[in-house]
Amino acid sequence: PKLAELTITCLSASSESMDPGRLFDLLELPALVELDLNMHSLYHEQPWSHLASLLVRSQAKLDSLTLAGTPMSCQEFIQCLQRCPDLWSLSVDSISDSVLEAFIPRPINPRPIAMDVSDESGSALNDYTYLCPNLTMIDIGDVDKCSLQTLHDFIATRCEDELKCLKGYVDRATM
């Protein structure tokens, strides 16, 4: 129950017994904050709900997740990320449009909004829903599975302050 970091790397698909899914089904890791799972695309079992089940069962507060070659569908991956609201670091070998779009803030109740979208508490995003609001680092190994437009939208909405700083720098540099 005290394990905080777990790294599993699969090097061989010699048998189904090597699939870490069975191990995940046995574990309960409430203290887990960092998970690194590299399956090298050796297993193609879908659905592969083992990670989502582990996160539900453990009620772990992951803040760092690294996945490579894990045979989850987009929906399963989104379900895992929904269980990780404290996640600030994500590393994946690739990402699809549907997963990337889930990170983009969307209005809960779309309606015309005034220029100032802050509520009484001063929070501008209370009326929005999106995955992993604390995400500050994402490493995507291969962006071929997502469109450039979706990638742009993600960056533009999640890195707004950085883009403003960059634009200000560019504007000053061109004067």
Side-chain angles (χ1 to χ4, degrees):
K2 295 182 180 191
L3 185 68
E5 297 178 14
L6 177 63
T7 299
I8 295 179
T9 302
C10 301
L11 299 175
S12 171
S14 59
S15 73
E16 284 188 28
S17 65
M18 299 299 290
D19 181 343
R22 292 185 175 155
L23 173 64
F24 277 44
D25 292 342
L26 298 172
L27 294 174
E28 188 170 331
L29 305 170
L32 191 66
V33 293
E34 184 175 328
L35 176 62
D36 184 340
L37 176 61
N38 189 338
M39 295 177 66
H40 291 285
S41 300
L42 296 174
Y43 306 94
H44 302 287
E45 173 193 339
Q46 281 194 357
W48 203 84
S49 58
H50 308 286
L51 178 56
S53 297
L54 172 68
L55 294 172
V56 169
R57 186 173 50 258
S58 298
Q59 296 297 304
K61 305 280 189 214
L62 280 186
D63 59 30
S64 178
L65 178 62
T66 300
L67 297 175
T70 309
M72 288 187 282
S73 68
C74 294
Q75 188 58 39
E76 288 169 328
F77 186 34
I78 290 171
Q79 288 172 348
C80 288
L81 293 171
Q82 287 170 334
R83 301 285 178 201
C84 303
D86 298 328
L87 197 70
W88 63 266
S89 175
L90 176 65
S91 180
V92 292
D93 52 352
S94 66
I95 200 163
S96 68
D97 276 349
S98 60
V99 173
L100 205 51
E101 286 170 354
F103 286 106
I104 299 172
R106 306 272 184 221
I108 293 172
N109 298 312
R111 63 186 188 285
I113 53 176
M115 291 298 284
D116 180 13
V117 295
S118 299
D119 63 9
E120 310 80 54
S121 69
S123 176
L125 291 177
N126 279 352
D127 292 335
Y128 290 78
T129 181
Y130 55 105
L131 287 178
C132 307
N134 297 325
L135 191 69
T136 58
M137 196 292 294
I138 187 167
D139 178 9
I140 305 169
D142 183 0
V143 294
D144 285 346
K145 291 185 179 178
C146 67
S147 69
L148 288 178
Q149 183 62 52
T150 305
L151 188 58
H152 169 270
D153 293 347
F154 166 75
I155 293 169
T157 57
R158 294 302 290 266
C159 306
E160 191 173 325
D161 291 339
E162 289 80 1
L163 286 175
K164 285 179 185 175
C165 290
L166 181 59
K167 183 179 181 327
Y169 174 78
V170 170
D171 290 345
R172 285 189 304 276
T174 57
M175 293 181 156

